[in-house]
């Protein structure tokens, strides 16, 4: 249990380091886990993370989420002490730990590829940290068995990691972290190597675990579903920068910019290039020949912020588009994805793709198994939940 | 039925199979065959059928048994020194050090020199009156020692030269093992609170164990067969101080011309080495499968 503060953290991978990393046999020794596409490259090196400031409260569950190469794992590794911090300050429980080695930080970490000790049994894997601390054997035994009980791996305690399935290995990795009773629990994409079903199961187990071992969690994932379901707050990153910090509700309903709006939510938010127009002091957004009038709250905000008519990107989530019998915009169904409780319709409207989520209840008899290709439908856009993004991609409202 | 794929593979393999058959299998089979006769190069023909007589007399030959003892002493000492030193050097190369590639090239140079050249070079260096070694030693008061001609120092000197040459082989295998170790367990260990020494003891050593075994066994096999270095350096002498089994067998076959006897001795040596190589291949196979 501890607070974690990151103040203006920056990480630069020096240019020479990548050369040094080539081992004697031409094999890259420390392979970078993520590709670096749009990262800033300076004279000193590749900037993996910059201007990263975040206050994590005691017992908070923070999720760092973003696409590959956004710097989320690097940030976690800096918190763990596995990567050095180039600039900025990191405090754990109020103590500056920039130069403290991992073992002095009282953290535990679960790795993406489990990082179990292959030569040790499950029991020894879990007991290793406690043995190093010279804890009495009886207490080690009690803790290991307790953790194994929680994670339902008691029957595998004598096995080697090689003899376990991916899900079981991940439980062992989590167990190894639990027995330590760390101040901060770090998890680096712990579920990404598991199949979809197991992932869902483990996700709910992590939620249960969190209730049992009430401590600070920092969780890295590229999966926005994991981020939304697990996090008290979510930090969305891209190209080394924080894009938005907020509760799942906030980032979903009030995305700070176009990137966050597109990244959070499946299917992705629909975007339309259009204009914010003003006629007789009334703001509206034209789209496919119809006019979206803004609601009072939106108009109020536009007035307060002195927003001028301009080119915008209009964002509407698929669940805010519905089918209607009359009015609306005519569209043609391209693909109909039956999801069980709902249908995801990929329609084309004047050559642009619009995704619609139609709930099972609305489908009716004739469309019980979805829609056929080329079928004409009419779409209604809910103007109460529009997102307007300016030329700088930032949410105007 | 053989599938087309296998048939094609077989067609391409035939030339090498013929070559291997003619150069390895045939001589091996022939030597096994003549080990039951009394072939003597001084006379024509196979001579009398001896059954296991050559084998029995070889086992009763005190010089043969002595040479096996010398070989065991030589091999064990050489492998132990090479392993300990080689692992230390491999660990150094596994760290980030400047000019690593240059040092590495230097370390593996001896491996690329033929044993005969190594032997001749060291014989000159160790020459009792003209050698550089004794000249350098003279500065600290040691004068004119005949390293290779003295019963007390001959085997030690041969061991030293063999270590000098063969250590790079050990370094290479062990370094390859170190480089291919996964890095995640080390990160996990550092988070678990392990010091560098504890990481080495609890992670590196156990993970390297299969590599250790393979390196030691492979080197043991080659050390057991050492012949060329002995031939150039001492010819087994002084007396029989450095007479290893391969050299003794060579002498039986080409000095005393007792071909059948030498063949029987070779097969005894083979019997000693088969279990060792069997264990080595088993470990290698397990590791590749695991």
């Amino acid at each position: 249990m501890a607070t974690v503060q990151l103040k203006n953290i920056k990480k630069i991978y020096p240019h020479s380091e990548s050369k040094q990393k080539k081992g004697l046999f031409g094999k890259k020794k420390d392979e970078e886990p993520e590709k670096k596409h749009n990262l800033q490259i300076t004279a000193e090196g590749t900037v993996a993370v910059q201007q990263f400031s975040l206050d994590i409260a005691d017992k908070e569950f923070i999720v760092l989420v973003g696409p590959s190469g956004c710097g989320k794992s690097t940030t976690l590794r800096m918190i763990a002490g596995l990567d050095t911090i180039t600039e900025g300050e990191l405090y754990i429980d109020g103590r500056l730990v920039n130069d403290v080695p991992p073992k002095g930080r009282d953290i535990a970490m679960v790795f993406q590829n489990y990082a179990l000790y292959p030569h040790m049994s499950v029991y020894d894997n879990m007991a290793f940290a406690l043995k190093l601390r010279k804890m009495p054997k009886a207490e080690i035994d009690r803790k290991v068995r307790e953790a194994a009980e929680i994670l339902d791996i008691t029957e595998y305690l004598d096995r080697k990691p090689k003899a376990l399935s991916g899900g079981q290995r991940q439980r062992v990795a989590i167990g190894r972290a639990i027995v330590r009773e760390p101040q901060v629990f770090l998890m680096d994409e712990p579920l990404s190597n598991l199949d979809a079903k197991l992932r869902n199961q483990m996700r709910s187990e992590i939620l249960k675990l969190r209730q049992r071992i009430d401590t600070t969690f920092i969780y890295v994932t590229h999966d926005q579903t994991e981020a939304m379901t697990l996090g008290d707050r979510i930090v969305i990153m891209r190209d080394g920068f924080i894009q938005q910090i907020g509760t799942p509700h906030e980032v979903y309903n009030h995305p700070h910019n176009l990137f966050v709006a597109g990244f959070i939510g499946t299917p992705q938010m629909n975007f339309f290039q259009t204009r914010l127009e003003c006629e007789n002091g009334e703001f509206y957004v034209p789209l496919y020949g119809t006019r979206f009038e803004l609601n009072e709250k939106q108009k109020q905000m536009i007035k307060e912020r002195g927003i001028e008519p301009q080119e915008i990107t209009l964002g509407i989530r698929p669940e805010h588009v519905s089918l209607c019998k009359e009015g609306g915009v005519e569209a043609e169904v391209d693909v109909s994805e039956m999801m069980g409780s709902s249908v995801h319709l990929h329609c084309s409207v004047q050559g642009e793709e619009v995704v619609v989520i139609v709930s099972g209840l609305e489908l009716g008899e004739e469309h019980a198994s979805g829609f056929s290709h080329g079928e004409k439908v009419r779409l209604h856009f809910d103007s109460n939940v529009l997102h307007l993004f300016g030329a700088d991609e930032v949410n105007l409202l | 039925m053989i599938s087309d794929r296998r048939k094609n593979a077989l067609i391409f393999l035939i030339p090498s199979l013929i070559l291997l058959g003619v150069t390895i299998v045939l001589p091996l089979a022939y030597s096994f065959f003549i080990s039951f006769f009394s072939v003597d190069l001084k006379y024509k023909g196979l001579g009398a059928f001896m059954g296991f007589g050559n084998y029995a007399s070889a086992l009763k030959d005190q010089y043969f048994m002595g040479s096996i003892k010398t070989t065991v002493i030589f091999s064990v000492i050489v492998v132990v020194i090479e392993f300990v030193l080689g692992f230390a050097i491999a660990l150094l190369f596994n760290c980030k050090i400047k000019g690593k590639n240059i040092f590495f090239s230097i370390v593996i140079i001896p491996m690329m020199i033929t044993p005969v050249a190594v032997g001749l070079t060291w014989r000159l260096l160790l020459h009792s009156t003209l050698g550089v070694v004794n000249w350098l030693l003279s500065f600290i008061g040691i004068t004119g020692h005949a390293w290779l001609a003295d019963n007390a120092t001959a085997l030690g000197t041969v061991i030293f030269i063999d270590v000098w040459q063969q250590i790079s082989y050990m370094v290479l295998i062990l370094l390859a093992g170190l480089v291919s170790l996964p890095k995640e367990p080390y990160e996990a260990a550092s988070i678990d609170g392990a010091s560098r020494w504890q990481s080495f003891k609890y992670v590196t050593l156990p993970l390297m164990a299969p590599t250790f075994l393979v390196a030691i066994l492979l080197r043991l096999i080659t050390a057991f067969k050492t012949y060329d270095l002995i031939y150039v350096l001492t010819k087994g002498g002084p007396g029989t101080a450095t007479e290893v089994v391969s050299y003794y067998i060579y002498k039986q076959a080409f000095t005393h011309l007792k071909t059948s006897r030498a063949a029987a001795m070779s097969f005894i040596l083979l019997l000693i080495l088969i279990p060792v190589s069997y264990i080595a291949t088993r470990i290698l196979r397990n590791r590749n499968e695991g």
Side-chain angles (χ1 to χ4, degrees):
Chain A
M1 289 172 288
T3 57
V4 178
Q5 278 177 297
L6 297 101
K7 286 189 181 166
N8 212 4
I9 296 281
K10 189 174 187 178
K11 174 68 187 176
I12 301 178
Y13 285 109
H15 293 307
S16 56
E17 204 167 286
S18 61
K19 282 181 195 164
Q20 284 170 7
K21 276 178 180 169
K22 292 223 168 176
L24 273 170
F25 297 91
K27 182 194 158 197
K28 249 183 142 185
K29 264 189 72 189
D30 305 9
E31 276 197 47
E32 285 306 318
E34 299 160 344
K35 279 189 200 163
K36 293 176 175 160
H37 318 279
N38 300 316
L39 295 180
Q40 196 187 336
I41 294 170
T42 64
E44 299 142 275
T46 308
V47 186
V49 177
Q50 50 191 324
Q51 295 168 18
F52 193 106
S53 293
L54 175 68
D55 277 352
I56 302 171
D58 189 13
K59 299 180 186 178
E60 193 176 3
F61 199 122
I62 282 279
V63 179
L64 307 183
V65 65
S68 289
C70 71
K72 54 191 191 301
S73 285
T74 304
T75 307
L76 194 77
R77 291 173 60 82
M78 284 192 284
I79 298 172
L82 296 173
D83 273 352
T84 53
I85 297 169
T86 313
E87 258 178 60
E89 289 163 353
L90 169 67
Y91 295 89
I92 295 179
D93 210 16
R95 183 168 69 112
L96 183 69
V97 292
N98 279 40
D99 299 320
V100 178
K103 66 172 183 168
R105 297 189 184 196
D106 197 10
I107 43 150
M109 183 157 166
V110 177
F111 294 82
Q112 180 177 1
N113 41 15
Y114 325 125
L116 298 175
Y117 308 116
H119 55 286
M120 293 184 197
S121 67
V122 168
Y123 185 97
D124 289 334
N125 261 284
M126 289 166 72
F128 184 61
L130 306 180
K131 279 180 190 164
L132 290 179
R133 288 186 192 173
K134 302 207 161 60
M135 195 178 268
K137 267 195 178 158
E139 200 176 340
I140 293 178
D141 192 64
R142 185 183 61 78
K143 285 190 179 226
V144 169
R145 291 190 187 282
E146 206 177 280
E149 193 74 28
I150 294 174
L151 294 161
D152 203 16
I153 47 173
T154 309
E155 57 188 304
Y156 310 121
L157 282 177
D158 295 329
R159 289 202 197 164
K160 290 271 171 68
K162 210 163 75 174
L164 300 179
S165 70
Q168 289 161 346
R169 284 182 208 186
Q170 196 51 277
R171 280 163 201 266
V172 178
I174 293 172
R176 186 170 66 179
I178 295 179
V179 294
R180 304 253 320 268
E181 295 174 8
Q183 288 200 57
V184 184
F185 216 107
L186 307 178
M187 293 183 148
D188 188 5
E189 309 213 19
L191 308 184
S192 61
N193 283 356
L194 306 179
D195 63 53
K197 193 181 162 201
L198 206 54
R199 199 152 57 215
N200 284 339
Q201 191 192 335
M202 284 299 285
R203 207 169 59 214
S204 56
E205 299 216 4
I206 288 176
L207 275 173
K208 280 189 226 156
L209 184 74
R210 194 242 162 141
Q211 285 155 6
R212 277 184 93 136
I213 51 163
D214 203 8
T215 188
T216 312
F217 277 78
I218 306 175
Y219 187 104
V220 162
T221 180
H222 62 265
D223 182 315
Q224 49 104 6
T225 317
E226 272 173 42
M228 295 292 282
T229 48
L230 292 171
D232 292 333
R233 281 194 298 158
I234 300 176
V235 179
I236 297 149
M237 295 182 70
R238 178 203 198 184
D239 299 340
F241 288 97
I242 293 180
Q243 301 294 305
Q244 187 172 2
I245 304 172
T247 63
H249 180 268
E250 277 167 2
V251 296
Y252 190 76
N253 293 304
H254 306 286
H256 177 66
N257 59 29
L258 207 57
F259 173 78
V260 176
F263 189 77
I264 298 290
T266 27
Q268 196 189 317
M269 187 185 274
N270 296 299
F271 294 117
F272 308 94
Q273 297 305 320
T274 177
R275 276 189 66 79
L276 176 67
E277 300 280 16
C278 184
E279 201 177 86
N280 306 326
E282 292 288 301
F283 279 90
Y284 70 95
V285 178
L287 185 71
Y288 301 131
T290 59
R291 248 170 95 134
F292 286 116
E293 302 295 341
L294 303 184
N295 64 26
E296 286 309 314
K297 201 176 152 196
Q298 291 165 331
K299 283 178 190 166
Q300 179 86 21
M301 281 172 109
I302 287 180
K303 259 183 213 157
E304 277 171 16
R305 295 179 186 181
I307 295 168
E308 299 285 320
Q310 56 182 286
E311 295 286 328
I312 57 157
T313 303
L314 170 70
I316 306 175
R317 293 215 178 270
E319 63 268 34
H320 298 140
V321 186
S322 53
L323 300 183
C324 57
K325 295 253 166 12
E326 287 162 21
V329 179
E330 194 184 62
E332 197 179 298
V333 175
D334 283 335
V335 179
S336 162
E337 295 174 316
M338 185 66 196
M339 308 302 285
S341 61
S342 62
V343 171
H344 295 177
L345 283 187
H346 296 253
C347 307
S348 82
V349 181
Q350 294 171 23
E352 285 184 74
E353 189 184 330
V354 179
V355 182
V356 188
I357 297 181
V358 189
S359 91
L361 297 171
E362 293 174 43
L363 283 173
E365 283 288 307
E366 57 174 322
H367 292 118
S369 56
F371 291 75
S372 49
H373 175 75
E375 204 173 332
K376 299 270 191 265
V377 289
R378 301 197 75 79
L379 306 181
H380 170 73
F381 297 89
D382 186 349
S383 61
N384 279 318
V385 276
L386 302 179
H387 302 274
L388 311 181
F389 302 96
D392 56 358
E393 300 192 351
V394 173
N395 201 336
L396 294 173
L397 300 178
Chain B
M1 282 295 286
I2 307 172
S3 69
D4 276 359
R5 223 182 119 78
R6 285 187 74 105
K7 214 183 278 173
N8 283 339
L10 213 63
I11 291 170
F12 282 101
L13 277 174
I14 282 173
S16 353
L17 286 177
I18 292 173
L19 197 72
L20 285 176
V22 171
T23 57
I24 294 179
V25 181
L26 224 62
L28 203 68
Y30 183 68
S31 66
F32 187 61
F33 173 71
I34 61 170
S35 71
F36 297 104
F37 293 87
S38 55
V39 177
D40 190 319
L41 287 185
K42 294 195 287 288
Y43 308 104
K44 244 172 96 177
L46 289 171
F49 179 74
M50 301 281 287
F52 283 96
N54 286 323
Y55 289 87
S57 77
L59 293 174
K60 275 185 219 146
D61 177 350
Q62 57 162 323
Y63 291 106
F64 178 64
M65 298 313 279
S67 74
I68 288 182
K69 194 179 144 199
T70 310
T71 310
V72 171
I73 294 170
F74 170 81
S75 304
V76 170
I77 295 178
V78 153
V79 171
V80 167
I81 297 176
E82 283 174 17
F83 172 71
V84 174
L85 267 181
F87 188 49
I89 296 172
L91 282 172
L92 273 178
F93 278 123
N94 200 34
C95 301
K96 279 184 184 168
I97 40 172
K98 276 197 171 163
K100 184 156 77 172
N101 289 348
I102 298 167
F103 287 126
F104 188 71
S105 310
I106 294 171
V107 167
I108 61 168
I109 283 173
M111 202 175 79
M112 301 178 193
I113 309 173
T114 58
V116 174
V118 169
L120 288 174
T121 311
W122 275 102
R123 241 173 70 180
L124 279 174
L125 291 172
L126 291 168
H127 195 278
S128 59
T129 49
L130 305 171
V132 177
V133 174
N134 277 352
W135 176 69
L136 286 173
L137 286 174
S138 69
F139 291 110
I140 54 167
I142 302 170
T143 47
H145 190 84
W147 297 99
L148 289 166
D150 184 337
N151 238 331
T153 55
L155 189 62
T157 310
V158 172
I159 286 172
F160 170 81
I161 295 167
D162 188 81
V163 168
W164 179 85
Q165 190 191 10
Q166 299 291 344
I167 196 159
S168 42
Y169 178 76
M170 199 62 109
V171 172
L172 210 62
I173 297 183
L174 295 179
L175 186 59
L178 282 173
V179 167
S180 64
L181 289 184
K183 80 170 194 225
E184 293 82 13
Y186 289 95
E187 295 191 333
S190 76
I191 285 178
D192 273 345
S195 62
R196 288 189 67 145
W197 166 246
Q198 284 167 326
S199 284
F200 176 75
K201 191 170 143 196
Y202 296 119
V203 182
T204 308
L205 289 184
L207 287 182
M208 280 294 286
T211 314
F212 288 163
L213 239 101
V214 168
I216 288 172
L217 291 177
L218 287 181
R219 188 61 198 104
L220 208 57
I221 293 168
T222 48
F224 230 83
K225 298 190 300 183
T226 303
Y227 156 75
D228 28 21
L229 199 64
I230 301 290
Y231 178 79
V232 177
L233 283 173
T234 62
K235 293 219 161 40
T240 57
T242 60
E243 195 165 76
V244 290
V245 69
S246 295
Y247 185 75
Y248 185 74
I249 295 172
Y250 159 83
K251 250 172 53 179
Q252 289 299 316
F254 299 103
T255 311
H256 306 308
L257 305 178
K258 306 263 184 219
T259 316
S260 284
R261 220 172 122 80
M265 287 172 176
S266 299
F267 279 96
I268 293 172
L269 181 62
L270 185 67
L271 274 180
I272 298 172
L273 291 180
I274 281 175
V276 186
S277 49
Y278 175 74
I279 297 167
T281 43
R282 273 289 293 272
I283 296 165
L284 272 176
R285 197 175 303 156
N286 280 347
R287 204 166 61 148
N288 291 342
E289 282 165 6

